[in-house]
Amino acid sequence: MRTLTPRRIQETLFTAPSFLWLLVLFLVPTLMVVSMSFRTADPYGGIGDSFSLEGFKDIFSPSFPGILFRTVNLSFQTTLWCLALGLPVAYFIARAEKKHQAHLMLLIIIPFWTNFLIRVYAWKIILHPEGMLKDMLVALRLVSEDTSLLYNQGAVLLVLVYTYLPFAVLPLYAAIEKFDFTLIEASRDLGAGPLRSFFRVFLPGISQGIVSAVMVVFIPALGSYVIPDMVGGTDGEMLGNKIAQRVFVDRNLPRGSALSTLLVLAVVLPVIGGLVVKKIRSNGRAFADVPSIGEHGL
Amino acid sequence: MFEGIRKTFGSHTAVDDVSLSVERGEVFSLLGPSGCGKTTLLRLCAGFETPDKGRVILNGEDISSLPPNKRKVNTVFQNYALFPHMSVYDNIAFGLKVAGKNSTDIKLEVDAMLDLIQMKDHAHKKPSQISGGQKQRVAIARALVNKPQVLLLDEPLAALDLKLRQRMLIELDQIHDEVGITFLFVTHDQGEAISLSDRIAVMNEGKIEQIGTPAQVYESPVSSFTAAFIGDTNFFDGQVREAVPPNYSRIAIDGLPDALCYNDSPRRPGDMVHLSVRPEKIRLRRMPFESHDYENTMRGTVENLVYLGSSTRYWVRVGEWLVTALLQHRHFILDEAPPTWGDEVWLAWHADDGFMLQRYALTDEKLLMMPEDGDMLGEDLSPDQKTGGEDALSSGSGE
């Protein structure tokens, strides 16, 4: 049991508002959504009083596995692209002269000055069947007249990557900026080529940044709604759209809640799993230490 | 080993036309103040830099254009550069794994290294869990396990505290005796260089001032820079008055009696020279010296002194000059009454104990400014510590 030192009290006072905020505006609503998914729907868009698993019947609809797979797949691909594109950018900025780094970071942040919806609309214009990009590609004979750049999964992936790339660059930049590059020299010195140094020393060295980048891209991508709604056709539909459809079109809150609950679980379970594995591993290591201590009679 | 090497960064010439060769199995030090180009020379050898001009030759083979991973040299980095995500064992095994050795061989060799550096108990620890001295030993083992032809050490002891530095110095020496690999050692600490090296190259502003054994460099420096950088010395500006057979010169110094000094190189009357005399070569006592014992004697007043345990350093005012002398305590000092502040004392040194250097007007100014960060194995106090030492002394000595 920790004693209440003045320092502890101070810490508690300072962190209390944000904990309160998260509790009231985040945890409680999430639990409300979860509980709602186990209720019956009433015909007027409200929720009934009795317990029911009716809300989860979407899971067994024939279209559900496809949408779930598409959601995970698109989020996964978005994450990969953001890492692949974000790493070189973050590396370039982190290795630039100190005085230029702030300017380069500003360039990454500038898109946020424009409203997100407007930027997605801009993509609609760029990718429009009669838009400039299409005309150009047709003129260059790269695509045929009747391909559509818009309203398909490709368009969704493109706009997802566009949207989340800056979020990936920020943690990657922070990690690379802190990375000690004499480690690369040490690795080269010990006989490793550039590629091996990259995979064995550089990537593990910035793993914290990679984990953060994956978190801030993959998790929001899973819950995307606006992007697939606006640039995706029927084959670009994601779980977020399904939830919106249940809530706004069908006016069936329990079914929307049930899907939301699934999405929350899909995000939370892997994180908890990861933590458990890490815990077990470090415990395993602690056990492995015991015989070695005995051996040397310490 | 280095042939006419030049390396410039922008407008700054870091290494300027340096040629030197290191013998197999030798401990060779590159010694100089920061920014003298010694680290650049090391990095050229490791392959982290490529020379603008000249060649780096290893065992008769030109390796100037080889990437670092293709060179049979390994480096011990100043900040150790241990891989933080790997255990001590994996750090040491890294080079062997990269070389594609099978795991039983790797285990044998890494275990042998762990024995050598006495770190067997810490093999599974991460670098963040071990101390500075241990990191240092792991960094050395990680490099040595690859059996390089040359081990490059970049200020390997700079980050350690004094006691640890002295112990690691002895350990380094022992490791060198055991493995017999050529060591190329970069340091700004003359004490480290002198105690560890077979030969030293003193560097200044991208050039080599002198190459020689530690004793040669200390006792017979060829330039004022070397004389001042290695150890302490008294400089007297003078002019050769006359030649004294068989091989001495009489030197006129403003405000001092004429001094007699051995000629390292031919001198003619009228030459402008520095007379340099190391503090420990100067005798100091209250009574006059017999002139047939010492060719050079003079009288002065003790202006300052610092008790150093094994010796006491005196600053003696002789006219315009402040002469530094080191009094060794061969006897139990509390029974004696050593000269103290304001005392009249006599100074003396042999004609053979000083040396003459050509005067370079420009370098002198800089030398006098130069901070003495390289203490002789920590026995010396640098001038800026002087006051502190004095206070401690005045409260403790009880006149």
Side-chain angles (χ1 to χ4, degrees):
Chain A
M1 188 71 189
R2 281 179 181 163
T3 46
L4 280 180
T5 58
R7 202 186 141 72
R8 288 276 311 160
I9 295 169
Q10 234 179 34
E11 276 173 12
T12 313
L13 279 177
F14 275 114
T15 47
S18 42
F19 272 120
L20 208 66
W21 177 276
L22 285 172
L23 185 75
V24 174
L25 298 171
F26 188 81
L27 191 63
V28 170
T30 306
L31 291 175
M32 281 166 70
V33 167
V34 172
S35 74
M36 227 181 266
S37 61
F38 293 103
R39 306 288 276 279
T40 48
D42 76 7
Y44 310 105
I47 39 176
D49 296 329
S50 48
F51 174 84
S52 159
L53 286 173
E54 194 76 348
F56 287 91
K57 73 178 179 192
D58 272 326
I59 303 174
F60 305 104
S61 84
S63 65
F64 180 75
I67 287 183
L68 184 68
F69 173 76
R70 189 185 302 139
T71 305
V72 174
N73 183 38
L74 275 174
S75 307
F76 184 68
Q77 287 193 42
T78 303
T79 311
L80 280 189
W81 277 106
C82 282
L83 285 181
L85 297 173
L87 256 180
V89 174
Y91 182 90
F92 174 78
I93 298 176
R95 297 293 275 168
E97 276 183 54
K98 271 270 172 286
K99 57 179 176 185
H100 297 314
Q101 288 190 4
H103 300 138
L104 291 167
M105 285 314 288
L106 192 68
L107 290 181
I108 299 288
I109 292 164
I110 277 181
F112 294 114
W113 295 356
T114 309
N115 181 283
F116 169 62
L117 277 177
I118 292 174
R119 283 183 284 136
V120 180
Y121 266 109
W123 275 108
K124 272 185 97 148
I125 295 166
I126 294 169
L127 299 173
H128 196 269
E130 279 147 43
M132 252 177 43
L133 187 67
K134 172 81 177 290
D135 289 349
M136 236 162 65
L137 291 175
V138 171
L140 290 168
R141 297 184 186 284
L142 287 172
V143 300
S144 72
E145 191 63 56
D146 47 317
T147 40
S148 171
L149 299 176
L150 202 54
Y151 306 128
N152 54 33
Q153 274 192 52
V156 176
L157 181 62
L158 177 71
V159 180
L160 277 174
V161 172
Y162 161 80
T163 306
Y164 291 113
L165 186 56
F167 293 105
V169 170
L170 294 174
L172 289 175
Y173 161 78
I176 297 172
E177 215 261 325
K178 271 188 289 179
F179 182 75
D180 174 11
F181 277 88
T182 48
L183 292 178
I184 297 293
E185 287 190 346
S187 157
R188 298 296 307 275
D189 187 72
L190 293 166
L195 259 184
R196 205 197 294 247
S197 302
F198 179 79
F199 285 109
R200 295 283 301 277
V201 177
F202 182 67
L203 285 190
I206 60 161
S207 60
Q208 284 302 319
I210 294 177
V211 169
S212 309
V214 167
M215 295 277 212
V216 295
V217 174
F218 186 73
I219 294 171
L222 272 182
S224 315
Y225 155 64
V226 174
I227 294 168
D229 190 56
M230 283 167 65
V231 301
T234 43
D235 87 318
E237 209 180 28
M238 293 170 72
L239 213 50
N241 306 92
K242 209 73 196 166
I243 295 170
Q245 190 194 331
R246 290 286 173 258
V247 175
F248 294 130
V249 182
D250 304 346
R251 294 173 64 78
N252 188 325
L253 283 178
R255 289 178 76 178
S257 305
L259 287 177
S260 303
T261 304
L262 283 177
L263 201 54
V264 170
L265 286 181
V267 172
V268 170
L269 285 182
V271 173
I272 292 177
L275 286 177
V276 168
V277 168
K278 208 172 168 187
K279 185 90 185 165
I280 289 171
R281 265 198 202 154
S282 63
N283 279 348
R285 183 153 304 173
F287 287 131
D289 282 356
V290 176
S292 81
I293 289 170
E295 246 172 75
H296 302 290
L298 284 173
Chain B
M1 207 161 120
F2 293 102
E3 238 183 47
I5 291 284
R6 170 173 297 165
K7 176 76 191 175
T8 55
F9 297 105
S11 61
H12 172 65
T13 304
V15 174
D16 192 4
D17 202 21
V18 165
S19 297
L20 65 89
S21 86
V22 179
E23 303 293 324
R24 188 187 302 244
E26 184 173 47
V27 179
F28 192 96
S29 291
L30 296 170
L31 175 65
S34 48
C36 72
K38 55 190 193 301
T39 297
T40 307
L41 212 52
L42 192 87
R43 292 174 61 81
L44 282 161
C45 192
F48 303 135
E49 313 282 354
T50 46
D52 300 330
K53 212 188 102 217
R55 300 190 299 162
V56 182
I57 294 158
L58 181 63
N59 260 347
E61 188 193 345
D62 183 357
I63 58 165
S64 317
S65 53
L66 284 182
N69 46 322
K70 295 276 191 315
R71 299 186 183 201
K72 285 293 291 169
V73 300
N74 287 113
T75 310
V76 177
F77 293 85
Q78 184 172 3
N79 64 353
Y80 320 126
L82 298 180
F83 305 124
H85 58 288
M86 295 183 198
S87 66
V88 165
Y89 182 94
D90 288 334
N91 262 285
I92 299 174
F94 187 84
L96 300 174
K97 280 185 188 155
V98 167
K101 297 213 171 187
N102 72 52
S103 56
T104 35
D105 287 354
I106 291 179
K107 180 145 178 40
L108 272 173
E109 290 182 40
V110 174
D111 283 345
M113 270 299 149
L114 285 168
D115 270 341
L116 180 71
I117 59 167
Q118 297 164 16
M119 291 277 294
K120 257 208 141 81
D121 300 349
H122 308 283
H124 59 277
K125 286 190 183 165
K126 291 278 169 65
S128 58
Q129 295 169 305
I130 59 179
S131 71
Q134 292 174 328
K135 282 184 199 166
Q136 180 61 70
R137 297 210 292 261
V138 174
I140 292 168
R142 185 179 68 172
L144 278 180
V145 77
N146 305 293
K147 305 201 165 55
Q149 290 176 345
V150 183
L151 182 71
L152 307 173
L153 301 114
D154 184 9
E155 306 252 3
L157 310 177
L160 305 176
D161 61 55
L162 184 69
K163 270 270 172 277
L164 203 53
R165 201 154 65 212
Q166 290 174 358
R167 223 184 68 208
M168 283 307 298
L169 205 58
I170 293 163
E171 283 188 25
L172 263 181
D173 206 23
Q174 282 169 351
I175 288 174
H176 178 258
D177 289 346
E178 265 175 65
V179 296
I181 290 171
T182 312
F183 278 28
L184 185 60
F185 188 89
V186 159
T187 181
H188 67 272
D189 186 318
Q190 36 133 340
E192 281 173 19
I194 286 180
S195 35
L196 193 64
S197 320
D198 295 315
R199 286 193 303 152
I200 297 175
V202 182
M203 289 189 71
N204 183 30
E205 297 188 332
K207 289 201 169 68
I208 290 184
E209 293 270 336
Q210 185 171 5
I211 299 180
T213 64
Q216 279 171 352
V217 172
Y218 184 78
E219 296 285 343
S220 179
V222 296
S223 67
S224 320
F225 177 82
T226 314
F229 191 74
I230 313 255
D232 282 326
T233 194
N234 294 290
F235 280 124
F236 303 101
D237 303 335
Q239 193 173 15
V240 176
R241 193 191 292 281
E242 58 177 347
V244 179
N247 195 14
Y248 292 90
S249 298
R250 191 172 303 285
I251 304 161
I253 302 163
D254 266 353
L256 291 184
D258 284 359
L260 196 68
C261 183
Y262 178 76
N263 294 340
D264 294 294
S265 49
R267 301 285 176 196
R268 266 179 299 167
D271 279 359
M272 304 293 280
V273 292
H274 278 307
L275 172 61
S276 165
V277 189
R278 300 269 187 209
E280 75 275 13
K281 304 271 198 280
I282 299 180
R283 295 290 308 275
L284 176 147
R285 68 176 188 191
R286 290 177 203 268
M287 279 167 304
F289 292 90
E290 298 295 331
S291 62
H292 54 81
D293 285 339
Y294 293 95
E295 292 85 349
N296 305 302
T297 61
M298 57 187 71
R299 197 165 73 165
T301 321
V302 174
E303 188 156 307
N304 222 333
L305 62 91
V306 175
Y307 176 67
L308 299 167
S310 64
S311 60
T312 301
R313 174 178 295 262
Y314 284 89
W315 283 266
V316 178
R317 171 70 59 191
V318 185
E320 293 280 291
W321 302 89
L322 199 59
V323 182
T324 311
L326 210 58
L327 186 69
Q328 296 289 340
H329 304 315
R330 293 193 182 76
H331 306 289
F332 187 61
I333 190 176
L334 295 181
D335 288 347
E336 297 176 1
T340 180
W341 289 275
D343 282 4
E344 288 247 306
V345 289
W346 287 85
L347 301 172
W349 71 89
H350 283 294
D352 292 337
D353 288 342
F355 45 86
M356 278 182 283
L357 296 160
Q358 206 66 45
R359 256 209 240 176
Y360 305 100
L362 241 174
T363 5
D364 303 341
E365 290 295 321
K366 223 177 61 191
L367 289 176
L368 299 172
M369 301 288 156
M370 201 165 59
E372 296 170 35
D373 52 352
D375 300 342
M376 272 294 290
L377 287 176
E379 273 182 12
D380 269 349
L381 287 177
S382 51
D384 49 46
Q385 287 173 284
K386 203 164 68 187
T387 355
E390 212 177 295
D391 289 347
L393 202 85
S394 50
S395 57
S397 68
E399 290 162 43

